[in-house]
């Protein structure tokens, strides 16, 4: 190996070593996203009775009932309206009004407690819960 090739190999090796040290430092220190990370819980609440498959509440009443439960458990929430559908084992198609609930700044235990209340109030077999890693910020604008 000539002197020029040896110099190139040494520079590449030094860069690789520096990159490894920096990467290890970031892993051990954590990134800003991890430090301010949060879990956003998304709940999908069907509103048809688990046994009769008939609506437990009219859509407006369902939103009010869900809102009451959520405010008691969390003090705040966001809900959206959706429509869900599925086919049973006999090929029968079912449709139902669904409430999608977004929650942040809470714990899985608190979400489970609220889900228990929702299951009881809406006569459900279950509530679908998704836990999504996110970054949460309550932005108040630029101070002037």
């Amino acid at each position: 190996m000539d002197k020029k090739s040896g110099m190139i190999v040494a520079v590449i090796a030094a860069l690789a070593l520096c990159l490894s040290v920096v990467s290890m430092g970031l892993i051990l220190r954590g990134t800003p996203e991890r430090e301010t990370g949060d879990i956003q819980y998304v709940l999908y609440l069907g509103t048809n009775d688990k046994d009769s498959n008939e609506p437990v509440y009219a859509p407006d009443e369902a939103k009010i009932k869900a809102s009451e439960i959520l405010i008691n458990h969390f003090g705040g929430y966001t809900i959206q309206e959706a429509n869900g559908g599925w086919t049973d084992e006999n090929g029968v198609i079912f449709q139902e009004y669904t409430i999608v609930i977004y929650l942040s700044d809470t714990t899985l235990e608190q979400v489970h407690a609220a889900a228990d209340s929702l299951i009881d109030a809406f006569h459900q077999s279950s509530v679908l819960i998704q836990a999504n890693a996110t970054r949460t910020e309550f932005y108040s604008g630029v101070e002037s």
Side-chain angles (χ1 to χ4, degrees):
M1 179 184 303
D2 65 9
K3 191 173 182 179
K4 186 177 180 182
S5 296
M7 181 77 79
I8 292 172
V9 169
V11 169
I12 291 173
L15 287 172
L17 179 62
C18 289
L19 184 58
S20 296
V21 169
V22 169
S23 296
M24 186 58 72
L26 288 173
I27 289 169
L28 294 174
R29 183 172 54 105
T31 62
E33 288 79 15
R34 283 195 177 138
E35 292 172 2
T36 60
D38 187 23
I39 301 295
Q40 178 189 55
Y41 295 96
V42 183
L43 287 65
Y44 295 86
L45 172 65
T47 60
N48 285 1
D49 184 273
K50 67 180 180 176
D51 298 319
S52 69
N53 199 37
E54 295 297 320
V56 176
Y57 302 103
D60 286 340
E61 293 172 317
K63 285 191 301 187
I64 291 169
K65 185 63 177 173
S67 296
E68 291 170 353
I69 291 168
L70 295 169
I71 206 73
N72 285 333
H73 280 273
F74 303 105
Y77 60 89
T78 300
I79 59 175
Q80 287 183 326
E81 299 175 84
N83 294 299
W86 69 96
T87 305
D88 73 2
E89 63 277 353
N90 299 318
V92 177
I93 298 173
F94 294 94
Q95 303 282 329
E96 73 180 322
Y97 174 74
T98 302
I99 298 172
V100 182
I101 302 161
Y102 298 90
L103 302 166
S104 292
D105 197 27
T106 189
T107 66
L108 185 57
E109 292 77 20
Q110 292 169 314
V111 171
H112 282 166
D116 287 337
S117 298
L118 293 166
I119 288 169
D120 289 343
F122 286 85
H123 307 125
Q124 297 296 294
S125 297
S126 62
V127 171
L128 175 64
I129 301 171
Q130 293 179 333
N132 304 309
T134 187
R135 181 171 171 242
T136 300
E137 174 184 9
F138 291 97
Y139 181 72
S140 299
V142 179
E143 293 184 26
S144 46

